[in-house]
Amino acid sequence: MLYSMTGYGKCESITSNNRIVVEIKSLNSRTNEIRLKLPSGYSEKELELRNLILSRLIRGKIDVNIINDLNSNSNIAINGKLFKEYYRQLNQIADELGENNRDYFPSIVRIPNVFKESDYVVTDEDWNATMQSLENAIHKLVDFRVNEGLSLQQDILNNLGSIMDRFDEVDALDEERKRFLRERMDTLIKGMEQNNKIDKDRFEQEVLFYLEKLDINEEKSRLKQHCIYFQEVVADDNLLDKGKKLSFITQEIGREINTLGAKAQFSELQKIVVEMKDNLEKIKEQLANVL
């Protein structure tokens, strides 16, 4: 089955004195892109978090936001020692100058480094809760991807089926096309004979070249093989990351359809080629969001 790259998952855990929330969003992307928004104290855990996320989600533009309520609310502290030192020195100067106005607090709190962010050390309990929340959020996101993927897969296979449904029609029209081309060639030959403009050797070479150039049996065969291979890859449950591989196969399908159209020289067959191209473009658009 196919997985979408789009997904969302959120989970929270409650510890003995904390609440931890993990939220993950993913969008389609050609490369792996993980953006982490972490509370202070989690920096040394970033590599471990990235490795876990990448191993489970494989590809996409992934945004992860981890909120630690205790850390968020309690990581600001007053540098009491520095505050008291400013206050002592200001009082000393006021005594020397005989200044009675000693309302220093508003001024001191604006001095840099009086307020500081306290060092937060992630406890084992909080870290285990964070990892469990992350696992659960990833699980929810994967479920989201599965549901989206089923819808994508149905649309993609329907469009591929529309291409394959035309194979018998192409075979039938190819016989009619050959008769049409043969009649046109006979008319040209008669015209040249009447005007005595035939070089026999050159004419045989041109006929062989013309017939080889217009033969579409190889294109029809390769097109069928590529479509069947596409279906096999979609059905392969051992392969999770299928988007890029399927995109390569669609390039080969498109190449055969284009060659078929170039060789057709028959309006009814060219109409079918245009419809095949339309279905193929829809497949390519949908594959842009497939994992």
mmCIF file of all heavy atoms in Angstrom, residues 242-265:
data_model
loop_
_atom_site.group_PDB
_atom_site.id
_atom_site.type_symbol
_atom_site.label_atom_id
_atom_site.label_comp_id
_atom_site.label_asym_id
_atom_site.label_seq_id
_atom_site.Cartn_x
_atom_site.Cartn_y
_atom_site.Cartn_z
ATOM 1 N N LYS A 242 7.909 4.406 -1.420
ATOM 2 C CA LYS A 242 7.664 4.039 -2.820
ATOM 3 C C LYS A 242 7.553 5.235 -3.761
ATOM 4 O O LYS A 242 7.591 5.068 -4.977
ATOM 5 C CB LYS A 242 6.370 3.223 -2.926
ATOM 6 C CG LYS A 242 6.351 1.953 -2.096
ATOM 7 C CD LYS A 242 5.012 1.240 -2.210
ATOM 8 C CE LYS A 242 4.968 0.005 -1.328
ATOM 9 N NZ LYS A 242 3.674 -0.691 -1.406
ATOM 10 N N GLY A 243 7.381 6.430 -3.200
ATOM 11 C CA GLY A 243 7.091 7.593 -4.030
ATOM 12 C C GLY A 243 8.108 7.845 -5.120
ATOM 13 O O GLY A 243 7.758 8.037 -6.291
ATOM 14 N N LYS A 244 9.397 7.849 -4.760
ATOM 15 C CA LYS A 244 10.445 8.146 -5.742
ATOM 16 C C LYS A 244 10.514 7.061 -6.815
ATOM 17 O O LYS A 244 10.655 7.358 -8.004
ATOM 18 C CB LYS A 244 11.795 8.288 -5.035
ATOM 19 C CG LYS A 244 11.916 9.534 -4.179
ATOM 20 C CD LYS A 244 13.295 9.643 -3.550
ATOM 21 C CE LYS A 244 13.419 10.901 -2.702
ATOM 22 N NZ LYS A 244 14.761 11.026 -2.067
ATOM 23 N N LYS A 245 10.425 5.813 -6.398
ATOM 24 C CA LYS A 245 10.501 4.707 -7.359
ATOM 25 C C LYS A 245 9.337 4.766 -8.338
ATOM 26 O O LYS A 245 9.517 4.582 -9.550
ATOM 27 C CB LYS A 245 10.510 3.373 -6.614
ATOM 28 C CG LYS A 245 10.804 2.177 -7.512
ATOM 29 C CD LYS A 245 11.043 0.919 -6.673
ATOM 30 C CE LYS A 245 11.480 -0.247 -7.564
ATOM 31 N NZ LYS A 245 11.784 -1.455 -6.769
ATOM 32 N N LEU A 246 8.145 5.020 -7.828
ATOM 33 C CA LEU A 246 6.982 5.117 -8.702
ATOM 34 C C LEU A 246 7.101 6.313 -9.645
ATOM 35 O O LEU A 246 6.650 6.249 -10.799
ATOM 36 C CB LEU A 246 5.708 5.227 -7.863
ATOM 37 C CG LEU A 246 5.317 3.973 -7.080
ATOM 38 C CD1 LEU A 246 4.117 4.260 -6.187
ATOM 39 C CD2 LEU A 246 5.009 2.810 -8.009
ATOM 40 N N SER A 247 7.719 7.389 -9.176
ATOM 41 C CA SER A 247 7.930 8.550 -10.046
ATOM 42 C C SER A 247 8.854 8.203 -11.205
ATOM 43 O O SER A 247 8.633 8.650 -12.343
ATOM 44 C CB SER A 247 8.516 9.714 -9.238
ATOM 45 O OG SER A 247 7.588 10.188 -8.285
ATOM 46 N N PHE A 248 9.890 7.406 -10.934
ATOM 47 C CA PHE A 248 10.791 6.970 -12.010
ATOM 48 C C PHE A 248 10.038 6.113 -13.031
ATOM 49 O O PHE A 248 10.251 6.233 -14.237
ATOM 50 C CB PHE A 248 11.970 6.179 -11.437
ATOM 51 C CG PHE A 248 12.898 7.004 -10.582
ATOM 52 C CD1 PHE A 248 13.511 6.460 -9.458
ATOM 53 C CD2 PHE A 248 13.156 8.330 -10.893
ATOM 54 C CE1 PHE A 248 14.359 7.223 -8.670
ATOM 55 C CE2 PHE A 248 14.003 9.095 -10.106
ATOM 56 C CZ PHE A 248 14.601 8.543 -8.997
ATOM 57 N N ILE A 249 9.138 5.254 -12.541
ATOM 58 C CA ILE A 249 8.377 4.398 -13.455
ATOM 59 C C ILE A 249 7.443 5.250 -14.321
ATOM 60 O O ILE A 249 7.272 4.983 -15.511
ATOM 61 C CB ILE A 249 7.580 3.335 -12.675
ATOM 62 C CG1 ILE A 249 8.523 2.438 -11.868
ATOM 63 C CG2 ILE A 249 6.755 2.472 -13.635
ATOM 64 C CD1 ILE A 249 7.814 1.460 -10.944
ATOM 65 N N THR A 250 6.843 6.290 -13.725
ATOM 66 C CA THR A 250 5.962 7.151 -14.518
ATOM 67 C C THR A 250 6.741 7.878 -15.616
ATOM 68 O O THR A 250 6.188 8.157 -16.684
ATOM 69 C CB THR A 250 5.244 8.195 -13.646
ATOM 70 O OG1 THR A 250 6.206 8.997 -12.955
ATOM 71 C CG2 THR A 250 4.328 7.534 -12.641
ATOM 72 N N GLN A 251 8.007 8.167 -15.368
ATOM 73 C CA GLN A 251 8.831 8.778 -16.420
ATOM 74 C C GLN A 251 8.961 7.835 -17.613
ATOM 75 O O GLN A 251 8.896 8.259 -18.777
ATOM 76 C CB GLN A 251 10.213 9.133 -15.869
ATOM 77 C CG GLN A 251 10.201 10.269 -14.855
ATOM 78 C CD GLN A 251 11.576 10.545 -14.273
ATOM 79 O OE1 GLN A 251 12.593 10.115 -14.827
ATOM 80 N NE2 GLN A 251 11.627 11.251 -13.167
ATOM 81 N N GLU A 252 9.154 6.539 -17.319
ATOM 82 C CA GLU A 252 9.256 5.551 -18.395
ATOM 83 C C GLU A 252 7.914 5.381 -19.115
ATOM 84 O O GLU A 252 7.868 5.252 -20.347
ATOM 85 C CB GLU A 252 9.728 4.207 -17.836
ATOM 86 C CG GLU A 252 11.121 4.231 -17.221
ATOM 87 C CD GLU A 252 12.167 4.703 -18.218
ATOM 88 O OE1 GLU A 252 12.131 4.241 -19.385
ATOM 89 O OE2 GLU A 252 13.006 5.543 -17.842
ATOM 90 N N ILE A 253 6.831 5.390 -18.350
ATOM 91 C CA ILE A 253 5.498 5.300 -18.958
ATOM 92 C C ILE A 253 5.277 6.498 -19.881
ATOM 93 O O ILE A 253 4.788 6.355 -21.015
ATOM 94 C CB ILE A 253 4.403 5.248 -17.870
ATOM 95 C CG1 ILE A 253 4.487 3.924 -17.099
ATOM 96 C CG2 ILE A 253 3.018 5.405 -18.485
ATOM 97 C CD1 ILE A 253 3.532 3.841 -15.907
ATOM 98 N N GLY A 254 5.629 7.675 -19.396
ATOM 99 C CA GLY A 254 5.459 8.886 -20.205
ATOM 100 C C GLY A 254 6.289 8.854 -21.473
ATOM 101 O O GLY A 254 5.837 9.303 -22.536
ATOM 102 N N ARG A 255 7.486 8.296 -21.372
ATOM 103 C CA ARG A 255 8.355 8.204 -22.560
ATOM 104 C C ARG A 255 7.712 7.333 -23.641
ATOM 105 O O ARG A 255 7.722 7.678 -24.828
ATOM 106 C CB ARG A 255 9.720 7.648 -22.151
ATOM 107 C CG ARG A 255 10.752 7.653 -23.271
ATOM 108 C CD ARG A 255 12.119 7.268 -22.756
ATOM 109 N NE ARG A 255 12.668 8.299 -21.898
ATOM 110 C CZ ARG A 255 12.866 8.179 -20.601
ATOM 111 N NH1 ARG A 255 12.552 7.056 -19.985
ATOM 112 N NH2 ARG A 255 13.380 9.167 -19.893
ATOM 113 N N GLU A 256 7.123 6.203 -23.248
ATOM 114 C CA GLU A 256 6.486 5.315 -24.231
ATOM 115 C C GLU A 256 5.215 5.942 -24.809
ATOM 116 O O GLU A 256 4.943 5.807 -26.000
ATOM 117 C CB GLU A 256 6.153 3.962 -23.580
ATOM 118 C CG GLU A 256 7.352 3.217 -23.010
ATOM 119 C CD GLU A 256 8.479 3.008 -24.011
ATOM 120 O OE1 GLU A 256 8.200 2.914 -25.226
ATOM 121 O OE2 GLU A 256 9.646 2.959 -23.578
ATOM 122 N N ILE A 257 4.450 6.626 -23.965
ATOM 123 C CA ILE A 257 3.240 7.288 -24.468
ATOM 124 C C ILE A 257 3.599 8.383 -25.468
ATOM 125 O O ILE A 257 2.953 8.527 -26.523
ATOM 126 C CB ILE A 257 2.416 7.868 -23.295
ATOM 127 C CG1 ILE A 257 1.840 6.736 -22.441
ATOM 128 C CG2 ILE A 257 1.287 8.757 -23.808
ATOM 129 C CD1 ILE A 257 1.098 7.208 -21.193
ATOM 130 N N ASN A 258 4.638 9.159 -25.167
ATOM 131 C CA ASN A 258 5.066 10.221 -26.084
ATOM 132 C C ASN A 258 5.530 9.650 -27.413
ATOM 133 O O ASN A 258 5.210 10.198 -28.484
ATOM 134 C CB ASN A 258 6.196 11.042 -25.447
ATOM 135 C CG ASN A 258 5.703 11.922 -24.316
ATOM 136 O OD1 ASN A 258 4.530 12.298 -24.276
ATOM 137 N ND2 ASN A 258 6.575 12.249 -23.383
ATOM 138 N N THR A 259 6.292 8.558 -27.366
ATOM 139 C CA THR A 259 6.765 7.933 -28.609
ATOM 140 C C THR A 259 5.589 7.372 -29.402
ATOM 141 O O THR A 259 5.550 7.461 -30.639
ATOM 142 C CB THR A 259 7.765 6.801 -28.298
ATOM 143 O OG1 THR A 259 8.808 7.312 -27.463
ATOM 144 C CG2 THR A 259 8.377 6.262 -29.575
ATOM 145 N N LEU A 260 4.635 6.804 -28.692
ATOM 146 C CA LEU A 260 3.420 6.280 -29.338
ATOM 147 C C LEU A 260 2.702 7.398 -30.089
ATOM 148 O O LEU A 260 2.265 7.225 -31.242
ATOM 149 C CB LEU A 260 2.502 5.676 -28.277
ATOM 150 C CG LEU A 260 1.423 4.692 -28.713
ATOM 151 C CD1 LEU A 260 2.038 3.448 -29.331
ATOM 152 C CD2 LEU A 260 0.558 4.311 -27.524
ATOM 153 N N GLY A 261 2.589 8.554 -29.444
ATOM 154 C CA GLY A 261 1.931 9.689 -30.088
ATOM 155 C C GLY A 261 2.706 10.217 -31.276
ATOM 156 O O GLY A 261 2.118 10.608 -32.300
ATOM 157 N N ALA A 262 4.044 10.225 -31.166
ATOM 158 C CA ALA A 262 4.869 10.730 -32.263
ATOM 159 C C ALA A 262 4.791 9.833 -33.491
ATOM 160 O O ALA A 262 4.860 10.314 -34.632
ATOM 161 C CB ALA A 262 6.315 10.856 -31.791
ATOM 162 N N LYS A 263 4.649 8.538 -33.263
ATOM 163 C CA LYS A 263 4.609 7.582 -34.378
ATOM 164 C C LYS A 263 3.199 7.371 -34.939
ATOM 165 O O LYS A 263 3.058 6.814 -36.023
ATOM 166 C CB LYS A 263 5.156 6.224 -33.923
ATOM 167 C CG LYS A 263 6.653 6.182 -33.732
ATOM 168 C CD LYS A 263 7.094 4.750 -33.443
ATOM 169 C CE LYS A 263 8.606 4.623 -33.412
ATOM 170 N NZ LYS A 263 9.027 3.227 -33.225
ATOM 171 N N ALA A 264 2.181 7.787 -34.198
ATOM 172 C CA ALA A 264 0.812 7.417 -34.544
ATOM 173 C C ALA A 264 0.412 7.828 -35.958
ATOM 174 O O ALA A 264 0.019 6.991 -36.779
ATOM 175 C CB ALA A 264 -0.156 8.025 -33.526
ATOM 176 N N GLN A 265 0.497 9.124 -36.270
ATOM 177 C CA GLN A 265 0.073 9.660 -37.562
ATOM 178 C C GLN A 265 -1.338 9.190 -37.931
ATOM 179 O O GLN A 265 -1.641 8.900 -39.095
ATOM 180 C CB GLN A 265 1.081 9.290 -38.662
ATOM 181 C CG GLN A 265 2.441 9.882 -38.414
ATOM 182 C CD GLN A 265 3.335 9.853 -39.633
ATOM 183 O OE1 GLN A 265 2.861 9.822 -40.772
ATOM 184 N NE2 GLN A 265 4.638 9.864 -39.413
#
